[in-house]
Amino acid sequence: LNTAPVPKWALIAVAVAVVVLLLLFLVCVIKCCCRKKKPKKKEKVNLLSVSSSTMASLVQPEMEDLEHSPEDKKRGKLQYSLEYNLRAQEMKVGVKQAADLKAMDSGGTSDPYVIVYLTSDMKKKYETKVFRKTLNPVFNESFTFQVPQAEMPESTLVMQVYDFNRFAKHDIIGEVRLPLASVNLQRAIEQWSDLAAASKVEQEQLGEVCFSLRYVPSTGKLTVVVLEAKKLKRMDSRGLSDPFVKVHLILNRKKWKKRKTSVKKNTLSPYFNEVFVFEVPFNQIQNVDLVVSVWDHDKMTKNEQIGKLFLGCQATGNQLRHWSDMLSNPRRPIAQWHSLQPVDVVDKALGLKTHLKLPLHTR
């Protein structure tokens, strides 16, 4: 420094400047590195927070709500009784009442009724009366099933609670399934059971038919309008049917009067809109049963019955409701859909004997 031509203070100033520049350079490098790493840290934290908190707190509870929602379980409960008569080989089922049923109508109520049957004989089904606009109906009805003791362990008692709807499919509220093998029927049983979601059991569907009824007491005229049918059972090899409808009046278990519609070709959902008028005096209307049957027409062989049903004072369930509505609303047509039932079940309920039909073909 002493021999340098440059003054000492100048060299010191240059050295200080170089140190300052190095420090500034190092500061800039550090800042740039920090800026590049911070977004990665933030992104990593955000992803962790979404996966651990947002996903867990939003998605998982919704899945649990869908699977274990308390509202889904609140279908109501049903009180019933069971009593088995070993000597007569028959079981008496009492449908007592229901409580806290799920509201199926927009007004916050339901029109409940109960269907009772055994899985060992699904053709024989009983229905209670329909109760309007209530979630706590009191039925107090009993039904008797002929069940041999040997068949008891293999059968299940099914009690299904439905919401009645005149112009649409009836909605099922819930059901109680009671395997008889798990029940001690040596003594009478009376208990409550919660309704569960209905099981998807395959059943033979015969179809539905819609018709209206109108009765005028002063003239004694009963007007039946066969409107249409739908979802009929396939009777032909090509998967269709040629349906027509017969309407019978039965008085004191004997066929009295009958009419039939035209035949509709190759359809499972025929539209008829055909009117039939019967003369039924007011003093006989309580003793008359109206039988509606749907047939498949065949030119080469005998016509086959698809299904049938009957209405009258001795009917039950929806059929009795339709008949009662007709009588309580004189001069007013009342239309309703009905599910077809097996032929033998209806004939047995009416007390009709099939062998009595043979003489009708010899006339």
Side-chain angles (χ1 to χ4, degrees):
L1 292 174
N2 295 328
T3 60
V6 181
K8 185 189 290 186
W9 61 268
L11 292 174
I12 296 173
V14 172
V16 171
V18 171
V19 172
V20 171
L21 290 175
L22 289 173
L23 292 174
L24 290 175
F25 178 75
L26 290 174
V27 170
C28 292
V29 171
I30 292 172
K31 286 185 176 181
C32 291
C33 293
C34 292
R35 287 176 182 174
K36 290 180 181 179
K37 291 180 180 180
K38 282 182 179 178
K40 291 184 180 179
K41 290 182 180 179
K42 288 183 179 179
E43 185 179 0
K44 188 175 182 180
V45 172
N46 288 337
L47 289 175
L48 288 174
S49 65
V50 169
S51 61
S52 62
S53 62
T54 306
M55 297 292 287
S57 63
L58 295 179
V59 178
Q60 291 178 1
E62 287 179 0
M63 295 293 289
E64 291 175 0
D65 288 343
L66 289 174
E67 296 176 0
H68 308 288
S69 172
E71 301 244 343
D72 187 54
K73 295 182 179 180
K74 291 182 179 179
R75 299 176 180 272
K77 54 186 179 179
L78 182 68
Q79 186 187 33
Y80 57 92
S81 64
L82 296 177
E83 185 177 357
Y84 187 71
N85 188 326
L86 183 60
R87 180 175 297 179
Q89 298 283 292
E90 64 182 22
M91 182 177 65
K92 185 176 181 181
V93 180
V95 180
K96 301 296 183 180
Q97 58 182 320
D100 302 325
L101 294 179
K102 182 179 180 181
M104 305 297 288
D105 299 336
S106 58
T109 61
S110 295
D111 301 323
Y113 68 97
V114 182
I115 294 179
V116 185
Y117 65 91
L118 292 174
T119 55
S120 58
D121 186 11
M122 297 178 61
K123 290 183 178 180
K124 187 174 184 179
K125 295 185 178 182
Y126 293 104
E127 295 182 6
T128 68
K129 296 179 181 179
V130 179
F131 283 77
R132 299 286 187 179
K133 297 182 179 181
T134 178
L135 301 179
N136 300 282
V138 178
F139 299 103
N140 284 333
E141 296 189 42
S142 60
F143 311 101
T144 302
F145 294 90
Q146 294 293 331
V147 190
Q149 187 179 9
E151 297 181 4
M152 294 288 287
E154 302 176 358
S155 186
T156 298
L157 174 65
V158 182
M159 293 169 284
Q160 297 177 323
V161 182
Y162 279 84
D163 173 47
F164 174 83
N165 195 325
R166 186 181 297 278
F167 297 105
K169 184 179 179 180
H170 301 176
D171 298 318
I172 186 166
I173 300 175
E175 69 177 14
V176 174
R177 285 184 174 264
L178 189 65
L180 298 182
S182 63
V183 179
N184 182 11
L185 293 176
Q186 294 181 354
R187 57 183 180 83
I189 298 173
E190 183 173 320
Q191 62 188 19
W192 285 89
S193 291
D194 292 329
L195 295 175
S199 303
K200 295 182 179 179
V201 180
E202 292 294 332
Q203 301 181 34
E204 184 182 35
Q205 299 294 328
L206 301 177
E208 299 177 57
V209 60
C210 181
F211 53 90
S212 71
L213 301 178
R214 178 175 180 264
Y215 183 68
V216 181
S218 58
T219 60
K221 288 187 177 181
L222 173 63
T223 303
V224 181
V225 182
V226 180
L227 297 170
E228 58 182 313
K230 63 181 180 181
K231 301 178 182 178
L232 295 179
K233 180 182 177 181
R234 295 172 172 83
M235 303 296 288
D236 299 340
S237 58
R238 60 185 183 277
L240 295 172
S241 297
D242 302 322
F244 66 97
V245 178
K246 284 185 179 181
V247 181
H248 283 86
L249 283 185
I250 295 179
L251 181 61
N252 297 325
R253 295 187 177 182
K254 294 182 180 179
K255 292 183 179 179
W256 185 27
K257 301 178 181 180
K258 67 177 181 179
R259 301 285 191 278
K260 67 178 181 179
T261 68
S262 57
V263 177
K264 304 299 178 180
K265 296 289 186 178
N266 301 327
T267 179
L268 300 178
S269 300
Y271 180 78
F272 300 101
N273 196 24
E274 297 186 33
V275 182
F276 306 112
V277 180
F278 299 91
E279 297 286 343
V280 183
F282 182 73
N283 59 356
Q284 291 180 333
I285 193 66
Q286 300 290 340
N287 302 320
V288 168
D289 292 304
L290 175 69
V291 181
V292 178
S293 56
V294 181
W295 295 68
D296 175 48
H297 176 74
D298 198 321
K299 292 182 179 180
M300 305 300 296
T301 60
K302 186 179 178 181
N303 298 333
E304 294 181 272
Q305 290 194 67
I306 299 175
K308 65 195 307 183
L309 58 102
F310 79 99
L311 294 86
C313 293
Q314 63 172 329
T316 60
N318 297 327
Q319 289 78 22
L320 178 60
R321 169 64 61 179
H322 195 179
W323 189 260
S324 300
D325 288 348
M326 177 198 71
L327 295 178
S328 60
N329 295 275
R331 301 178 180 83
R332 176 185 171 189
I334 306 294
Q336 185 173 319
W337 281 94
H338 292 276
S339 296
L340 293 173
Q341 301 173 5
V343 176
D344 55 347
V345 173
V346 177
D347 289 346
K348 185 177 180 180
L350 287 170
L352 298 177
K353 298 180 180 180
T354 54
H355 69 272
L356 293 178
K357 298 180 181 179
L358 294 177
L360 296 177
H361 298 285
T362 60
R363 291 180 182 178

